[in-house]
Amino acid sequence: MKRAVEAECGGLRARKIVALGASMSKFAIVVTGDSNFYEPEMLKDKAVAVTPNNGSHFTTLKMLEGFLTPEHIKTTRAVRGHL
């Protein structure tokens, strides 16, 4: 996964984060035990909660693109304590 971020920091010197590396992390899309969703295709046009603009967000998008076309992938911001 490649990622580059540049930020102006209100009077502080500009910052740049550049990361390139292999990862052996595991990711999953999780639903509640009583959910009727049991296949990724069933998430078509449904809101999937992600923490925006980080590795798990990008990985979730890539995982879903294996099952859905991008126009049918809908994400929403995950809020701690509300999932």
Side-chain angles (χ1 to χ4, degrees), residues 18-57:
V18 178
L20 170 63
S23 175
M24 294 301 291
S25 299
K26 295 180 176 75
F27 290 92
I29 298 171
V30 180
V31 298
T32 61
D34 60 351
S35 173
N36 291 325
F37 298 107
Y38 52 86
E39 294 182 351
E41 295 87 350
M42 297 172 84
L43 297 171
K44 181 180 180 178
D45 297 322
K46 303 293 183 195
V48 176
V50 296
T51 305
N53 303 318
N54 66 32
S56 61
H57 179 189

Side-chain angles (χ1 to χ4, degrees), residues 4-27:
V5 177
E6 293 185 39
E8 294 298 326
C9 300
L12 301 174
R13 89 180 160 209
R15 289 169 167 69
K16 185 180 219 178
I17 300 169
V18 178
L20 170 63
S23 175
M24 294 301 291
S25 299
K26 295 180 176 75
F27 290 92

